[in-house]
Amino acid sequence: MFPTHRPRRLRSHPQLRRMVRETVLTTSDLIYPLFAVPGQGIANEVRSMPGVFQLSVDKIVEEAKEVYDLGIPAIILFGIPEDKDTDATGAWHDCGIVQKAATAVKEAVPDLIIIADTCLCEYTSHGHCGYLEVGDLTGRVLNDPTLELLKKTAVSQAKAGADIIAPSGMMDGFVQAIREGLDAAGFQDTPILSYAAKYASSYYGPFRDAAESAPQFGDRRTYQMDPGNSREALKEIELDLTEGADMLMVKPALAYMDIIWQVKQASNVPVAAYNVSGEYSMIKAAALNGWVDEERIVMETLTGFKRSGADLILTYHAKDAARWLGA
Ligand code: PBG
Ligand code: ZN
């Protein structure tokens, strides 16, 4: 008895496979992260992220042009300040590094969308994402006082030219606070992309090398989510939507594809997945060893995020992917 149903019929020719493919990754789906540092002419490769650099503002501008020419619609900016303190001054100061980078990029490449990551961990002396009680050595960030700083940070980023504000600190009520701040400053039309479901993850390790933002003590488990939880992610996205989030993010991506899927089903706004630093470094390390085919594994991974429900993908592979897709 030969089978009647033969799914292989539709796999027999590349053109046929192309015709019936359900999920197609495009360059429009991609967002490229950039790290701004003070100085001039600086391009420091990040030790744990081959191919990713800390760049001074002049180099960020060059990079932004390249990204735009590749057809990638947006970048997300992170900053490494000159000085760090307990008030995270470098985050909200009008002359902060992200503010400078945003202004320079907006002037040079006006049609590239600039997303500003709105958090404090790169700017606090202790590396936590907000205010700590004096003498606290556990990293139990004070929620409500931190909201005031996030509000100020978002407004100064928007003033500097950021098109989208992306709060990543997982404080309760941060979307509402930032929305109020932006509206009061005249930025009613600036969208918020909330890092709504962000897990306490070891996959952020290489990013903390890149952003020099590792907590000096304690960890982020009192504010970022526990990897075992999924219903809590739905709670977080419900709150962020109520508070006015325009888009939602799930982070990390690879070990959390079920969360991407659930967030997609439970919401009616665009969903972004953050393919984080550790996910990039694992693929990069294996590829550099010749153990995997980099192009195929990256495209398969990014397509998987899209299939699981991501409308947008933040990824350090964005430039390579855009080239492979044929800009
Ligand atoms: C800051 C922030 C982090 C990442 C994005 N924004 C790190 C963290 O929470 O420690 C991680 C991104 C990556 O790993 O690529 N809150
Ligand atoms: Zn942070």
Side-chain angles (χ1 to χ4, degrees):
M1 262 295 283
F2 294 107
T4 309
H5 295 285
R6 290 175 173 264
R8 289 183 56 191
R9 284 180 191 129
L10 296 180
R11 295 178 202 142
S12 62
H13 191 284
Q15 294 285 43
L16 207 44
R17 292 197 291 273
R18 190 174 141 229
M19 287 166 70
V20 301
R21 187 165 298 139
E22 297 169 40
T23 303
V24 181
L25 184 74
T26 75
T27 305
S28 320
D29 306 327
L30 306 173
I31 297 170
Y32 189 56
L34 288 172
F35 299 94
V37 287
Q40 258 253 285
I42 295 171
N44 295 328
E45 190 162 24
V46 179
R47 192 185 49 86
S48 52
M49 300 180 75
V52 172
F53 297 81
Q54 297 178 328
L55 300 171
S56 51
V57 171
D58 55 316
K59 294 284 186 183
I60 291 255
V61 168
E62 284 174 26
E63 189 77 353
K65 285 183 188 150
E66 195 184 326
V67 168
Y68 180 74
D69 289 339
L70 283 167
I72 297 167
I75 56 170
I76 179 163
L77 288 175
F78 298 94
I80 296 98
E82 202 102 48
D83 299 298
K84 302 184 187 228
D85 57 31
T86 50
D87 291 329
T89 308
W92 47 263
H93 202 278
D94 287 339
C95 300
I97 185 73
V98 161
Q99 286 80 354
K100 280 188 196 159
T103 303
V105 169
K106 193 58 8 190
E107 195 189 315
V109 203
D111 291 333
L112 182 67
I113 297 292
I114 301 173
I115 305 174
D117 177 90
T118 305
C119 198
L120 307 175
C121 46
E122 293 123 69
Y123 309 92
T124 51
S125 35
H126 43 65
H128 278 287
C129 301
Y131 271 127
L132 298 181
E133 195 111 47
V134 181
D136 180 303
L137 286 177
T138 63
R140 194 177 296 273
V141 170
L142 299 171
N143 197 84
D144 299 5
T146 298
L147 296 180
E148 290 309 310
L149 289 186
L150 290 175
K151 213 191 246 193
K152 274 212 290 201
T153 303
V155 171
S156 85
Q157 290 170 334
K159 265 201 266 174
D163 299 293
I164 297 177
I165 298 300
S168 66
M170 290 299 282
M171 294 300 121
D172 292 337
F174 70 168
V175 172
Q176 185 184 336
I178 287 171
R179 186 71 272 157
E180 280 169 16
L182 290 173
D183 289 356
F187 294 103
Q188 292 89 348
D189 291 327
T190 301
I192 296 177
L193 163 57
S194 176
Y195 285 66
K198 177 174 177 182
Y199 288 85
S201 170
S202 8
Y203 282 101
Y204 307 151
F207 173 94
R208 293 176 190 171
D209 287 342
E212 300 174 14
S213 62
Q216 301 301 300
F217 47 81
D219 56 44
R220 303 207 201 291
R221 287 181 233 210
T222 67
Y223 40 105
Q224 299 179 350
M225 289 173 48
D226 191 286
N229 294 351
S230 64
R231 291 185 337 130
E232 190 184 351
L234 297 179
K235 179 73 186 169
E236 286 281 0
I237 66 145
E238 181 194 327
L239 290 172
D240 285 11
L241 286 172
T242 314
E243 292 174 27
D246 300 281
M247 296 186 272
L248 299 170
M249 197 194 299
V250 175
K251 178 183 170 193
L254 217 41
Y256 300 87
M257 295 242 220
D258 58 323
I259 308 296
I260 299 173
W261 171 256
Q262 289 188 67
V263 169
K264 178 69 166 217
Q265 305 310 310
S267 67
N268 52 12
V269 299
V271 176
Y274 200 140
N275 176 211
V276 300
S277 56
E279 299 170 348
Y280 171 85
S281 301
M282 289 195 307
I283 286 183
K284 211 65 191 177
L288 288 169
N289 271 297
W291 296 339
V292 295
D293 177 327
E294 184 173 6
E295 174 174 346
R296 290 196 56 193
I297 212 166
V298 167
M299 296 313 260
E300 180 179 341
T301 304
L302 299 181
T303 301
F305 298 144
K306 191 161 180 191
R307 193 192 62 246
S308 73
D311 300 291
L312 296 165
I313 303 165
L314 297 90
T315 179
Y316 305 95
H317 299 292
K319 287 201 305 176
D320 288 332
R323 283 190 202 104
W324 293 324
L325 286 165

